Amino acid sequence: MKWKKAASILIPTISILGLSQISTKFYRYGFARVDPPLAPDTDDPDYLAAFNEFSRWLGQQEKEHWWLYEDDPRNRIHALYLPNPQPTKKAVVIAHGYHGNAQTMAAYAKMFHELGYNVLMPDNRGHGESSGDWINFGWLDRLDYRDWCLDLVEHLGEDCEVVLFGVSMGGAIVMMMSGEILPEQVKAIIEDCGYSSLHEQLAYRAKVEFHMPRFPTIPIASLINRVVLGFGLNDVDSVKALQANKRPIFFIHGEKDHYVPTSMCFKNFEATSAPKEMWIVPNAKHAEAFAIDPEEYQSRVSTFLKRFGL
Protein backbone atom coordinates (compact mmCIF):
# COMPACT_ATOMS: atom_id res chain seq x y z
CA MET A 1 0.00 0.00 0.00
CA LYS A 2 3.06 2.24 0.08
CA TRP A 3 2.51 3.21 -3.54
CA LYS A 4 -0.93 4.59 -2.64
CA LYS A 5 0.57 6.76 0.07
CA ALA A 6 3.30 7.95 -2.30
CA ALA A 7 0.73 8.68 -5.00
CA SER A 8 -1.40 10.66 -2.55
CA ILE A 9 1.62 12.94 -1.98
CA LEU A 10 3.15 13.00 -5.48
CA ILE A 11 0.02 13.63 -7.54
CA PRO A 12 -1.04 16.83 -5.69
CA THR A 13 2.58 18.00 -5.63
CA ILE A 14 3.01 17.50 -9.38
CA SER A 15 -0.34 19.19 -10.00
CA ILE A 16 0.63 22.22 -7.91
CA LEU A 17 4.03 22.47 -9.62
CA GLY A 18 2.35 22.28 -13.01
CA LEU A 19 -0.19 24.96 -12.11
CA SER A 20 2.60 27.11 -10.70
CA GLN A 21 4.46 26.95 -14.01
CA ILE A 22 1.29 27.76 -15.92
CA SER A 23 0.51 30.64 -13.53
CA THR A 24 3.96 32.08 -14.15
CA LYS A 25 3.34 31.99 -17.89
CA PHE A 26 -0.07 33.56 -17.30
CA TYR A 27 1.62 36.39 -15.40
CA ARG A 28 4.11 37.02 -18.20
CA TYR A 29 1.34 36.93 -20.78
CA GLY A 30 -0.79 39.44 -18.90
CA PHE A 31 1.73 41.79 -17.32
CA ALA A 32 4.68 42.02 -19.74
CA ARG A 33 4.92 45.15 -21.85
CA VAL A 34 3.58 44.82 -25.40
CA ASP A 35 3.99 47.82 -27.69
CA PRO A 36 0.89 47.71 -29.88
CA PRO A 37 0.67 48.29 -33.63
CA LEU A 38 -0.39 51.74 -34.80
CA ALA A 39 -3.72 50.42 -36.10
CA PRO A 40 -6.31 48.45 -34.09
CA ASP A 41 -6.62 44.71 -34.56
CA THR A 42 -10.00 44.63 -36.26
CA ASP A 43 -11.67 43.39 -39.43
CA ASP A 44 -14.41 46.02 -39.19
CA PRO A 45 -13.78 48.49 -42.04
CA ASP A 46 -16.02 51.16 -40.49
CA TYR A 47 -14.19 50.97 -37.15
CA LEU A 48 -10.82 51.13 -38.89
CA ALA A 49 -11.90 54.07 -41.04
CA ALA A 50 -13.09 55.98 -37.98
CA PHE A 51 -9.86 55.18 -36.11
CA ASN A 52 -7.78 56.48 -39.03
CA GLU A 53 -9.90 59.63 -39.25
CA PHE A 54 -9.39 60.42 -35.56
CA SER A 55 -5.67 59.63 -35.86
CA ARG A 56 -5.37 62.10 -38.75
CA TRP A 57 -7.17 64.70 -36.66
CA LEU A 58 -4.74 64.16 -33.79
CA GLY A 59 -1.79 64.48 -36.16
CA GLN A 60 -3.03 67.90 -37.24
CA GLN A 61 -3.37 69.32 -33.74
CA GLU A 62 -0.93 71.51 -31.88
CA LYS A 63 0.74 69.25 -29.33
CA GLU A 64 3.23 69.46 -26.51
CA HIS A 65 5.22 66.56 -25.03
CA TRP A 66 5.11 66.57 -21.24
CA TRP A 67 7.16 64.38 -18.89
CA LEU A 68 7.06 63.24 -15.29
CA TYR A 69 10.32 62.25 -13.57
CA GLU A 70 12.18 63.07 -16.80
CA ASP A 71 15.64 62.54 -15.31
CA ASP A 72 14.83 59.05 -14.01
CA PRO A 73 15.15 56.54 -16.90
CA ARG A 74 13.33 53.82 -14.94
CA ASN A 75 10.32 56.01 -14.21
CA ARG A 76 10.03 58.53 -17.07
CA ILE A 77 6.34 59.02 -17.87
CA HIS A 78 5.21 60.70 -21.08
CA ALA A 79 2.04 62.57 -22.03
CA LEU A 80 0.65 64.54 -24.96
CA TYR A 81 -0.90 67.91 -24.16
CA LEU A 82 -3.36 69.42 -26.63
CA PRO A 83 -4.26 73.02 -25.80
CA ASN A 84 -7.75 73.98 -26.89
CA PRO A 85 -7.85 76.47 -29.79
CA GLN A 86 -10.00 78.70 -27.57
CA PRO A 87 -8.27 79.77 -24.34
CA THR A 88 -9.87 77.96 -21.41
CA LYS A 89 -9.20 76.98 -17.83
CA LYS A 90 -10.93 73.62 -18.28
CA ALA A 91 -8.86 70.48 -18.79
CA VAL A 92 -9.41 66.75 -19.02
CA VAL A 93 -6.93 63.98 -18.24
CA ILE A 94 -7.61 60.96 -20.46
CA ALA A 95 -6.47 57.51 -19.30
CA HIS A 96 -6.02 54.84 -21.97
CA GLY A 97 -6.64 51.11 -21.74
CA TYR A 98 -4.61 47.92 -21.63
CA HIS A 99 -2.01 47.75 -24.44
CA GLY A 100 -3.07 51.20 -25.65
CA ASN A 101 -1.32 54.55 -25.49
CA ALA A 102 -2.13 58.25 -25.66
CA GLN A 103 -2.62 58.20 -29.42
CA THR A 104 -5.25 55.46 -29.26
CA MET A 105 -7.46 57.92 -27.36
CA ALA A 106 -7.69 60.39 -30.26
CA ALA A 107 -11.48 60.01 -30.60
CA TYR A 108 -12.02 61.04 -26.98
CA ALA A 109 -9.50 63.87 -27.28
CA LYS A 110 -11.46 65.27 -30.22
CA MET A 111 -14.71 64.96 -28.27
CA PHE A 112 -13.35 66.90 -25.30
CA HIS A 113 -11.76 69.50 -27.58
CA GLU A 114 -15.21 70.08 -29.06
CA LEU A 115 -16.59 70.42 -25.54
CA GLY A 116 -14.07 73.20 -24.87
CA TYR A 117 -11.37 71.38 -22.89
CA ASN A 118 -7.60 71.33 -22.95
CA VAL A 119 -6.57 67.68 -23.18
CA LEU A 120 -3.76 65.80 -21.43
CA MET A 121 -3.21 62.19 -22.58
CA PRO A 122 -0.54 60.25 -20.65
CA ASP A 123 1.13 57.02 -21.70
CA ASN A 124 0.75 54.66 -18.74
CA ARG A 125 3.79 52.86 -17.35
CA GLY A 126 4.83 50.07 -19.70
CA HIS A 127 3.00 51.71 -22.63
CA GLY A 128 3.80 54.17 -25.42
CA GLU A 129 6.76 56.44 -24.76
CA SER A 130 6.72 55.87 -21.00
CA SER A 131 9.26 53.62 -19.32
CA GLY A 132 8.57 50.27 -17.70
CA ASP A 133 8.69 46.63 -18.74
CA TRP A 134 5.60 45.58 -16.79
CA ILE A 135 1.97 46.68 -16.80
CA ASN A 136 0.68 47.62 -13.33
CA PHE A 137 -3.04 47.73 -14.20
CA GLY A 138 -3.47 51.22 -12.80
CA TRP A 139 -2.15 50.86 -9.26
CA LEU A 140 1.05 52.82 -9.83
CA ASP A 141 -0.49 54.82 -12.69
CA ARG A 142 -3.07 56.35 -10.35
CA LEU A 143 -0.31 58.21 -8.51
CA ASP A 144 1.29 59.34 -11.76
CA TYR A 145 -2.07 60.73 -12.85
CA ARG A 146 -2.38 62.60 -9.57
CA ASP A 147 0.96 64.24 -10.39
CA TRP A 148 -0.29 65.04 -13.91
CA CYS A 149 -3.20 66.87 -12.27
CA LEU A 150 -0.75 68.90 -10.21
CA ASP A 151 1.15 69.78 -13.40
CA LEU A 152 -2.08 70.95 -15.01
CA VAL A 153 -2.84 73.19 -12.04
CA GLU A 154 0.64 74.67 -12.27
CA HIS A 155 0.25 75.17 -16.03
CA LEU A 156 -3.30 76.58 -16.09
CA GLY A 157 -3.49 78.27 -12.70
CA GLU A 158 -5.21 77.70 -9.38
CA ASP A 159 -8.58 78.60 -10.87
CA CYS A 160 -8.56 75.77 -13.42
CA GLU A 161 -11.07 72.89 -13.45
CA VAL A 162 -9.96 69.32 -14.18
CA VAL A 163 -12.03 66.31 -15.22
CA LEU A 164 -10.73 62.72 -15.10
CA PHE A 165 -11.75 60.38 -17.92
CA GLY A 166 -10.70 56.79 -18.64
CA VAL A 167 -11.66 53.75 -20.70
CA SER A 168 -11.21 50.09 -19.66
CA MET A 169 -7.98 49.95 -17.61
CA GLY A 170 -8.07 53.74 -17.83
CA GLY A 171 -11.52 53.65 -16.28
CA ALA A 172 -10.10 51.66 -13.37
CA ILE A 173 -7.28 54.20 -13.05
CA VAL A 174 -9.60 57.17 -12.62
CA MET A 175 -11.83 55.21 -10.23
CA MET A 176 -8.83 54.29 -8.10
CA MET A 177 -7.72 57.92 -8.17
CA SER A 178 -11.02 58.79 -6.52
CA GLY A 179 -9.77 57.21 -3.30
CA GLU A 180 -6.68 59.43 -3.19
CA ILE A 181 -6.17 62.98 -1.94
CA LEU A 182 -6.39 64.93 -5.19
CA PRO A 183 -6.02 68.63 -6.00
CA GLU A 184 -9.23 70.53 -5.29
CA GLN A 185 -9.29 71.51 -8.96
CA VAL A 186 -10.30 67.94 -9.88
CA LYS A 187 -14.05 68.36 -10.14
CA ALA A 188 -15.53 65.21 -11.72
CA ILE A 189 -14.80 61.70 -13.00
CA ILE A 190 -16.07 59.80 -16.04
CA GLU A 191 -15.21 56.12 -16.37
CA ASP A 192 -16.03 53.80 -19.26
CA CYS A 193 -15.98 49.99 -18.75
CA GLY A 194 -13.42 49.84 -15.94
CA TYR A 195 -13.07 46.71 -13.79
CA SER A 196 -14.19 46.47 -10.18
CA SER A 197 -10.95 44.84 -9.02
CA LEU A 198 -7.92 43.33 -10.69
CA HIS A 199 -8.32 40.09 -8.72
CA GLU A 200 -11.84 39.60 -10.09
CA GLN A 201 -10.89 40.66 -13.61
CA LEU A 202 -7.89 38.33 -13.87
CA ALA A 203 -9.78 35.43 -12.31
CA TYR A 204 -12.53 35.94 -14.88
CA ARG A 205 -10.11 36.19 -17.83
CA ALA A 206 -8.12 33.15 -16.61
CA LYS A 207 -11.34 31.14 -16.58
CA VAL A 208 -12.84 32.20 -19.92
CA GLU A 209 -9.61 32.47 -21.95
CA PHE A 210 -7.41 29.75 -20.45
CA HIS A 211 -9.83 27.57 -18.45
CA MET A 212 -7.59 28.03 -15.42
CA PRO A 213 -8.86 27.95 -11.81
CA ARG A 214 -8.80 31.01 -9.58
CA PHE A 215 -6.65 29.05 -7.10
CA PRO A 216 -3.70 28.82 -7.24
CA THR A 217 -3.46 30.90 -10.45
CA ILE A 218 -4.26 34.30 -8.96
CA PRO A 219 -2.36 33.89 -5.65
CA ILE A 220 0.77 32.82 -7.56
CA ALA A 221 0.43 35.73 -10.01
CA SER A 222 -0.05 38.05 -7.04
CA LEU A 223 3.10 36.76 -5.36
CA ILE A 224 5.10 37.27 -8.56
CA ASN A 225 3.70 40.77 -8.93
CA ARG A 226 4.63 41.65 -5.35
CA VAL A 227 8.23 40.72 -6.17
CA VAL A 228 8.25 42.48 -9.57
CA LEU A 229 6.20 45.62 -8.88
CA GLY A 230 5.84 45.75 -5.10
CA PHE A 231 2.12 45.21 -4.58
CA GLY A 232 -0.39 42.38 -4.52
CA LEU A 233 -3.26 41.97 -6.96
CA ASN A 234 -5.81 42.48 -4.18
CA ASP A 235 -4.51 46.04 -3.76
CA VAL A 236 -5.85 47.01 -7.20
CA ASP A 237 -9.43 47.60 -6.19
CA SER A 238 -11.76 50.18 -7.76
CA VAL A 239 -14.64 49.37 -5.41
CA LYS A 240 -12.56 50.06 -2.31
CA ALA A 241 -11.32 53.36 -3.72
CA LEU A 242 -14.83 54.45 -4.72
CA GLN A 243 -16.01 54.07 -1.15
CA ALA A 244 -13.91 57.14 -0.33
CA ASN A 245 -14.97 59.12 -3.41
CA LYS A 246 -16.77 62.45 -2.94
CA ARG A 247 -16.67 63.75 -6.52
CA PRO A 248 -19.47 63.42 -9.09
CA ILE A 249 -18.90 60.35 -11.24
CA PHE A 250 -20.44 59.03 -14.46
CA PHE A 251 -20.28 55.28 -15.12
CA ILE A 252 -20.54 54.04 -18.73
CA HIS A 253 -20.53 50.38 -19.77
CA GLY A 254 -21.51 48.29 -22.76
CA GLU A 255 -24.55 46.06 -22.34
CA LYS A 256 -22.77 43.20 -24.14
CA ASP A 257 -19.33 43.63 -22.60
CA HIS A 258 -17.94 40.13 -22.06
CA TYR A 259 -14.33 41.27 -21.53
CA VAL A 260 -14.98 43.36 -18.44
CA PRO A 261 -18.40 42.01 -17.44
CA THR A 262 -21.18 44.58 -17.26
CA SER A 263 -21.95 43.35 -13.74
CA MET A 264 -18.75 45.08 -12.60
CA CYS A 265 -20.25 48.44 -13.52
CA PHE A 266 -23.12 47.86 -11.12
CA LYS A 267 -20.62 46.96 -8.38
CA ASN A 268 -18.67 50.14 -9.02
CA PHE A 269 -21.83 52.25 -9.09
CA GLU A 270 -23.06 50.90 -5.77
CA ALA A 271 -19.69 51.46 -4.11
CA THR A 272 -19.83 55.26 -4.06
CA SER A 273 -22.22 57.57 -2.23
CA ALA A 274 -21.11 60.58 -4.28
CA PRO A 275 -23.40 62.17 -6.92
CA LYS A 276 -23.46 59.59 -9.70
CA GLU A 277 -25.00 58.55 -12.99
CA MET A 278 -24.84 55.33 -14.99
CA TRP A 279 -25.41 54.57 -18.67
CA ILE A 280 -25.52 50.97 -19.88
CA VAL A 281 -25.11 51.27 -23.65
CA PRO A 282 -27.37 48.90 -25.63
CA ASN A 283 -25.58 46.42 -27.92
CA ALA A 284 -22.12 47.78 -27.05
CA LYS A 285 -19.29 45.33 -26.43
CA HIS A 286 -16.10 46.21 -24.53
CA ALA A 287 -15.00 49.82 -25.08
CA GLU A 288 -17.49 50.19 -27.95
CA ALA A 289 -19.86 52.69 -26.35
CA PHE A 290 -18.39 55.67 -28.21
CA ALA A 291 -18.18 53.81 -31.52
CA ILE A 292 -21.83 52.67 -31.29
CA ASP A 293 -23.13 56.26 -31.22
CA PRO A 294 -20.54 59.05 -30.95
CA GLU A 295 -23.14 61.83 -30.93
CA GLU A 296 -25.13 60.26 -28.09
CA TYR A 297 -21.95 59.58 -26.16
CA GLN A 298 -20.79 63.19 -26.47
CA SER A 299 -24.24 64.50 -25.59
CA ARG A 300 -24.44 62.42 -22.41
CA VAL A 301 -20.91 63.39 -21.34
CA SER A 302 -21.69 67.06 -21.99
CA THR A 303 -24.98 66.87 -20.05
CA PHE A 304 -23.24 65.26 -17.07
CA LEU A 305 -20.52 67.89 -17.01
CA LYS A 306 -22.98 70.77 -17.35
CA ARG A 307 -25.00 69.36 -14.46
CA PHE A 308 -22.00 70.13 -12.25
CA GLY A 309 -21.13 73.43 -13.86
CA LEU A 310 -18.28 72.14 -15.97
Side-chain angles (χ1 to χ4, degrees), residues 13 60 91 98 112 126 136-137 143 149 160 189 219 225 242 266-268 291 308:
T13 301
Q60 296 167 357
Y98 181 67
F112 277 103
N136 68 86
F137 287 90
L143 302 179
C149 291
C160 71
I189 301 168
N225 196 70
L242 286 165
F266 294 101
K267 265 189 189 178
N268 293 331
F308 297 100

Side-chain angles (χ1 to χ4, degrees), residues 189-227:
I189 301 168
I190 303 171
E191 79 85 23
D192 185 335
C193 65
Y195 38 81
S196 54
S197 74
L198 184 57
H199 183 279
E200 290 300 317
Q201 177 64 14
L202 291 183
Y204 172 75
R205 297 312 309 167
K207 178 181 178 181
V208 300
E209 283 189 59
F210 304 102
H211 308 290
M212 296 170 62
R214 180 187 297 254
F215 182 85
T217 305
I218 304 306
I220 292 172
S222 184
L223 180 60
I224 296 170
N225 196 70
R226 192 170 290 280
V227 173

Side-chain angles (χ1 to χ4, degrees), residues 86-91 116-118 155-162:
Q86 302 300 319
T88 178
K89 290 285 189 174
K90 297 194 298 184
Y117 283 75
N118 301 302
H155 182 73
L156 294 173
E158 295 286 333
D159 56 343
C160 71
E161 296 175 319
V162 178

